[in-house]
Amino acid sequence: LSLNVSQRRHPLIWPPSQLPSNSRYVVPVPAPAGGVLVVASTGIFYRNHGLKISLKLNDYATAVGDGGIRYDELDDCVLFDTVHPVRLDGYQMLFGLMSGQLVVMSLVLDTDGNTVKGIELENANVQMAETVGSACTLCSVGERHVYLGSRLGDSALLL
């Protein structure tokens, strides 16, 4: 739900009944692009006043979403059972997967910098000791560091 107090309108961006049943997180996207990002184990969905962008993470994604969604697809399938993301900057987030893999999700902006035109996913280029376990929690520490907490191995402070 979006509230526009000056025009006394409240346009509905995405009804809760149309959220994928395997949604894990709803993350606000900062201005000027705005909107919301829904992270599910099978897809990542971006919505902003009629703009719908979806990234299919694996073959189960066809069973979720709001009907006739067109998905962008990855080359490799990923099961996105993840801990809450950490925002790296306005339009990039770091996810820790249960496999121990760290993944960076980026919203690709149009040339004007106000409109999202795609979602990209790539492996994080982070060097960690072999004893560091998969992430149970991720959080920002200052502007340049991320704390990775793990129950299955050592925790780490990442640069």
Side-chain angles (χ1 to χ4, degrees):
L1 185 62
S2 174
L3 296 176
N4 185 333
V5 179
S6 64
Q7 294 180 359
R8 297 181 185 211
R9 296 181 349 167
H10 56 280
L12 192 60
I13 297 173
W14 201 355
S17 63
Q18 290 185 354
L19 285 172
S21 61
N22 61 356
S23 298
R24 299 186 55 97
Y25 305 106
V26 177
V27 182
V29 176
V36 65
L37 193 70
V38 174
V39 180
S41 60
T42 57
I44 300 175
F45 307 89
Y46 170 80
R47 298 290 185 272
N48 185 8
H49 298 291
L51 181 61
K52 298 178 180 182
I53 298 172
S54 303
L55 179 65
K56 179 179 174 178
L57 300 174
N58 55 50
D59 290 335
Y60 296 108
T62 56
V64 301
D66 55 353
I69 283 184
R70 182 189 64 79
Y71 289 97
D72 293 330
E73 295 191 27
L74 293 174
D75 293 334
D76 297 322
C77 291
V78 176
L79 183 59
F80 227 59
D81 285 335
T82 177
V83 298
H84 197 279
V86 169
R87 191 178 306 275
L88 299 177
D89 68 18
Y91 303 105
Q92 283 190 327
M93 291 176 217
L94 178 70
F95 292 89
L97 305 183
M98 299 304 275
S99 65
Q101 182 180 10
L102 295 175
V103 177
V104 176
M105 187 278 318
S106 302
L107 292 176
V108 181
L109 299 179
D110 207 349
T111 55
D112 63 3
N114 296 329
T115 306
V116 174
K117 67 176 188 175
I119 302 170
E120 292 181 349
L121 210 60
E122 61 186 350
N123 288 329
N125 188 12
V126 177
Q127 301 235 343
M128 294 185 292
E130 291 182 21
T131 58
V132 175
S134 61
C136 291
T137 186
L138 289 172
C139 67
S140 296
V141 180
E143 292 183 18
R144 299 192 54 214
H145 297 86
V146 172
Y147 171 75
L148 181 149
S150 177
R151 291 184 293 172
L152 303 174
D154 292 342
S155 298
L157 187 61
L158 309 174
L159 299 175

